[in-house]
Amino acid sequence: NDASEDQIVDQVMKGLERFGGGIVAMQDIQPATARALPLLLQKLKEQKYRIVHVVPHQPQANAGAKNVRVGGR
């Protein structure tokens, strides 16, 4: 039972309203989810939600280094 684009947008917006905001993580493997994205972004902008793009963490050059506490007890 696949959800339509409108159902996806409605479900996300109702969830955000119920919780007063939140994080929306979407899986792009579902065609309806990908098709719903333009409408969802439009609705989020209309409601003044802040939209950010989250990127994977990039390991730092010294990722293997150990933390050392210097001074004090």
Side-chain angles (χ1 to χ4, degrees), residues 6-62:
D6 289 333
Q7 289 171 321
I8 292 168
V9 171
D10 188 52
Q11 182 179 13
V12 170
M13 296 306 294
K14 283 182 179 177
L16 291 171
E17 290 170 14
R18 183 172 51 247
F19 294 107
I23 297 172
V24 178
M26 301 180 75
Q27 301 294 324
D28 62 358
I29 60 171
Q30 297 298 324
T33 303
R35 289 191 306 268
L37 191 55
L39 178 58
L40 178 59
L41 290 172
Q42 176 187 341
K43 296 280 187 184
L44 291 168
K45 289 176 185 178
E46 288 172 1
Q47 296 294 319
K48 306 294 186 211
Y49 282 99
R50 185 172 58 147
I51 300 165
V52 298
H53 178 205
V54 178
V55 296
H57 173 71
Q58 296 295 323
Q60 297 177 359
N62 63 352

